[in-house]
Amino acid sequence: MAAPSEEGPGGRGQGVTRLIGELFWVIALGVIAVYAFFLALGALSPGDVVALSVVVVVLLVLYVVRAWWTSRRGPAGRDPRIVSARERRGF
């Protein structure tokens, strides 16, 4: 008898992968926020740190695309309790 795989649907491997993905996006948002903060302070000039500016723009575009994609996925990726509560309230 073979032992059950932890990598199956809803298994441990999927949870770790999701955690790593979410951690990446949290760090990306942190980098974007810190960049914007120092830019607003005047401590950075986008022309002086071109490579960092390009990285931040790429992260920002990737995050916007991810947010759009997540919003278009529909209720399958959402908590069913929230969906039913919204339907109950009528919006």
Side-chain angles (χ1 to χ4, degrees):
M1 228 170 152
S5 173
E6 292 182 353
E7 302 297 323
R12 185 174 164 200
Q14 189 178 21
V16 171
T17 303
R18 183 173 180 177
L19 177 68
I20 291 171
E22 293 297 324
L23 184 62
F24 170 78
W25 290 114
V26 167
I27 292 171
L29 282 175
V31 168
I32 293 167
V34 168
Y35 178 81
F37 174 75
F38 283 115
L39 198 64
L41 271 171
L44 292 177
S45 173
D48 292 342
V49 287
V50 175
L52 180 61
S53 299
V54 169
V55 168
V56 169
V57 167
V58 168
L59 284 175
L60 187 60
V61 168
L62 287 174
Y63 184 77
V64 167
V65 168
R66 176 192 176 265
W68 175 80
W69 181 259
T70 303
S71 72
R72 302 291 294 166
R73 256 190 0 204
R78 297 184 183 143
D79 187 355
R81 295 172 297 174
I82 294 174
V83 172
S84 67
R86 180 177 297 144
E87 290 170 356
R88 189 174 52 243
R89 290 189 310 258
F91 59 91

